[in-house]
C-alpha cells in the first residue's frame, strides 16, 4: 500500500520508512508531484496536522498523514506552540526566535516547557491522531552548537545538557517526534495491508 507523508522533507520520509516493517510504501509530497506549501493556519498543532493530511487526502484520494510540532512553555501559557517556527516574526531565523523567547522568559522563575509533536493520519476516510511529548526546561541562555530550532535553550528532564549538546542519536531516541512516530508506526505495522 502507498501512504503519503505530507511533508517536503525527504529525510523525514526516509526516517519513518526505515521504521516500517509492513508492506507500506511512503511517498513524500515532492514525489507526489505536489510542490506547494499548505497554509498552516490552524490554532493548534492538532488542527495544523489535520489541515495538511485532509488537504492531500482530498486532492489525491490517497491515505495520508502529516505532523506538526511545537515548543510549549508553561509560563507563556503554551506559547510559542503552533507559532514556534515564526515566534519572532514570519521571516525570522531560529536565532531570532530564541532571542525573542529568552526575552519573554527574563522575569520568569517557572521554566517548565515541553516539545510536543502531533501526527494526523487519514486512513480510508478515518482520522486518527498520535502524539509524543518530552518535558524539560528553558535555560537562561543558549548552550550547545548542535541541533536546530530551540534545541540550545531546551534541557530535557533528567539530563544536565540541552538538546543542542546531545548526541543526535540520543536525541532522536527520546524526542517528542520519535515518540509520536513510534506510535504511528506501531499502528501502521499492525494493519493488514499486504
Ligand atoms: P515542524 O512542525 O517540525 O516544522 O516544527 C515547527 C518548529 O518547532 C520548528 O521550526 C522549530 O523551531 C521547532 N522545533 C520542532 N522540533 C524541534 C526540535 O526537535 N528541536 C528544536 N526545535 C524544534
Amino acid at each position: 500500500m502507498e501512504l503519503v507523508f505530507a511533508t517536503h522533507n525527504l529525510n523525514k520520509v526516509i526516517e519513518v520508512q526505515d521504521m516500517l516493517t509492513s508492506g507500506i510504501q511512503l511517498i513524500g509530497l515532492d514525489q507526489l508531484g505536489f510542490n506547494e506549501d499548505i497554509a498552516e493556519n490552524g490554532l493548534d498543532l492538532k488542527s495544523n496536522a489535520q489541515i495538511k493530511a485532509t488537504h492531500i487526502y482530498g486532492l489525491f484520494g490517497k491515505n495520508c498523514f502529516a505532523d506538526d510540532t511545537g515548543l510549549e512553555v508553561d509560563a507563556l501559557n503554551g506559547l510559542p506552540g503552533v507559532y514556534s517556527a515564526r515566534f519572532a516574526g514570519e521571516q525570522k531565523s531560529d536565532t531570532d526566535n530564541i532571542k525573542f523567547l529568552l526575552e519573554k522568559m527574563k522575569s520568569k522563575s517557572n521554566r517548565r516547557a515541553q516539545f510536543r509533536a502531533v501526527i494526523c493520519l487519514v486512513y480510508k476516510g478515518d482520522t486518527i491522531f498520535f502524539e509524543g511529548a518530552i518535558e524539560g526546561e528553558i535555560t537562561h541562555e543558549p548552550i550547545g552548537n548542535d541541533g536546530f530550532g530551540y534545541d540550545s535553550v531546551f534541557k530535557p528532564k533528567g539530563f544536565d545538557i540541552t538538546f543542542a549538546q546531545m548526541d543526535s542519536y540520543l536525541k532522536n531516541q527520546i524526542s517528542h517526534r520519535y515518540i509520536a512516530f513510534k506510535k504511528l508506526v506501531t499502528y501502521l505495522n499492525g494493519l493488514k495491508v499486504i
Side-chain angles (χ1 to χ4, degrees), residues 12 68-70 84-85 94 115 148-151 171 176-177:
K12 276 192 185 178
D68 202 31
T69 305
S84 294
D94 285 347
F115 272 116
F148 69 100
Y150 298 91
D151 275 350
K171 182 196 163 187
H176 44 299
R177 216 179 334 274

Side-chain angles (χ1 to χ4, degrees), residues 109-128:
S109 53
N110 175 8
R111 315 287 299 183
R112 193 202 164 275
Q114 64 175 7
F115 272 116
R116 198 158 63 87
V118 180
I119 296 167
C120 175
L121 169 69
V122 183
Y123 182 72
K124 294 184 177 173
D126 287 338
T127 303
I128 308 159

Side-chain angles (χ1 to χ4, degrees), residues 115 134 151 154 156 161-166 171 174-176:
F115 272 116
I134 179 162
D151 275 350
F154 184 80
I161 53 174
T162 65
F163 263 171
Q165 293 173 292
M166 200 174 266
K171 182 196 163 187
I174 62 170
S175 82
H176 44 299

